[in-house]
Amino acid sequence: MTEAWTWHGGNLAAAKRHFGGDDWIDLSTGINPLPWPGADRVAIDWQRLPDGEALAHLEAVAAEFFGVAPRHIGAVPGTEIGLRIAGRLIGGEARHATPSYRTHGEMIAGSLATADADLAAQGGTIILANPNNPDGRILAPEALDALLATRGDTGWLLVDEAFADCDPTLSIAARIADDRRLLVFRSFGKFFGLAGVRLGFILGPAPFVQDLRATLGAWPLSAAAIAIGTAAYADAEWFAATRRRLPEQAAALDAVLTGAGYRPQGACPLFRLIETGAAPALFDRLARRSILTRPFADQPHWLRLGLPADNAALARLADALADG
């Protein structure tokens, strides 16, 4: 296994070059395999700079979806960029929960990797994901409230909720206030299945949002991101149905993995983690059957699998797992 697949999921082109084959199933990401279906029907004006009023409308629609006031939300061209900008605006002493996203450790210079159980005893800013990636660990909002209460004036609590759209009861977005050192990051691409749109949001105190907007400048998003995001976040029927469907798909994946002798981990319905000493060999075997999963250089006994899009893809995975 090489860095091409351990850095981030979705590098299907590298897999095709290395393993050959066609008709690939990409399970290397935690992205909804059945994306919001309306993107091709959204009208986009490619000749003009994105309109400021349209951006404000997007933020207002997204704010209602997240349960915050519009003044507490700033749109960014992808959560990954938003994380890095927020880290530079905040600075200072920081600790990031591990294991989690690699970007969390790069947000603030000198940030120290810290186990979940030790975070509350530390000062400075805390960076974590909920639900977490790649293990799907979930912290109850009450646990996050306790972490926030320990920050005082020593730092911030930064919560990456990229996967929280699947279950809005996990979110602490409603805690956002001007007198709280709390930032929440939300991603459009994962739940809506349209990562290429490059859209995310930072939720936080209004003064921080103002600083964020000043840093990003006049046109932080493309016209496509604004138009598609506005329409998708307004589609209440679709996201309600998706929240019902994803746990069913995750249960079907659990059944296949359990049937193959693995113990799937994680409570986020968009992916599962398995642990096995044969993970490198399993990654290779699945790839030679044109099924891409996500390995980890620092945890070679782990393999993460996203949701198959349909029963045919699930059956192919089951067959490949059985053919060992």
Side-chain angles (χ1 to χ4, degrees):
M1 294 185 291
T2 70
E3 187 70 12
W5 301 293
T6 60
W7 163 250
H8 194 277
N11 200 343
L12 191 59
K16 290 179 177 179
R17 286 194 302 270
H18 185 82
F19 294 100
D22 52 19
D23 191 23
W24 277 77
I25 298 174
D26 187 1
L27 306 182
S28 67
T29 73
I31 293 172
N32 185 350
L34 297 176
W36 181 69
D40 292 339
R41 300 191 297 271
V42 175
I44 300 168
D45 186 349
W46 294 107
Q47 291 187 297
R48 301 182 184 278
L49 287 169
D51 182 76
E53 291 185 4
L55 174 60
H57 182 51
L58 164 65
E59 291 178 338
V61 172
E64 183 175 356
F65 180 85
F66 300 138
V68 299
R71 69 191 187 94
H72 288 306
I73 182 171
V76 292
T79 308
E80 208 270 345
I81 290 176
L83 290 164
R84 294 180 184 276
I85 291 175
R88 282 154 179 75
L89 289 175
I90 289 173
E93 179 186 357
R95 286 171 175 79
H96 56 279
T98 185
S100 194
Y101 293 97
R102 188 178 306 194
T103 299
H104 290 179
E106 299 173 351
M107 288 173 60
I108 298 177
S111 181
L112 300 175
T114 306
D116 282 354
D118 299 326
L119 287 171
Q122 307 295 331
T125 291
I126 291 175
I127 306 161
L128 56 83
N130 194 48
N132 193 46
N133 175 47
D135 59 6
R137 177 267 291 137
I138 287 177
L139 293 176
E142 294 77 15
L144 296 173
D145 286 339
L147 280 176
L148 180 60
T150 65
R151 295 307 88 206
D153 295 329
T154 67
W156 292 68
L157 177 62
L158 310 185
V159 183
D160 187 341
E161 293 186 347
F163 291 104
D165 291 339
C166 302
D167 182 359
T169 65
L170 301 176
S171 176
I172 61 167
R175 275 72 159 177
I176 296 291
D178 288 343
D179 61 350
R180 291 194 181 118
R181 292 187 161 202
L182 171 65
L183 296 184
V184 172
F185 302 82
R186 299 294 283 263
S187 170
F188 175 77
K190 293 177 174 60
F191 178 73
F192 288 91
L194 298 170
V197 172
R198 304 312 303 136
L199 174 61
F201 300 88
I202 302 180
L203 285 53
F208 178 90
V209 172
Q210 292 170 2
D211 290 344
L212 171 69
R213 289 174 175 156
T215 300
L216 288 168
W219 302 288
L221 301 182
S222 69
I226 293 173
I228 293 172
T230 301
Y233 280 116
D235 193 347
E237 182 177 350
W238 180 87
F239 57 71
T242 299
R243 284 169 174 159
R244 294 191 296 269
R245 172 180 55 80
L246 288 175
E248 297 173 357
Q249 287 183 276
L253 176 59
D254 285 343
V256 166
L257 294 172
T258 301
Y262 301 105
R263 296 178 59 187
Q265 303 176 40
C268 177
L270 285 172
F271 59 88
R272 287 295 187 261
L273 184 73
I274 61 174
E275 187 170 351
T276 170
L282 180 58
F283 169 84
D284 187 81
R285 174 154 56 90
L286 293 175
R288 295 187 186 283
R289 299 284 294 268
S290 296
I291 300 174
L292 184 62
T293 55
R294 171 71 195 281
F296 298 87
D298 56 344
Q299 300 286 349
H301 53 292
W302 284 358
L303 206 62
R304 193 191 66 190
L305 298 89
L307 291 181
D310 51 33
N311 289 335
L314 189 66
R316 275 184 58 187
L317 174 63
D319 288 344
L321 289 171
D323 186 17

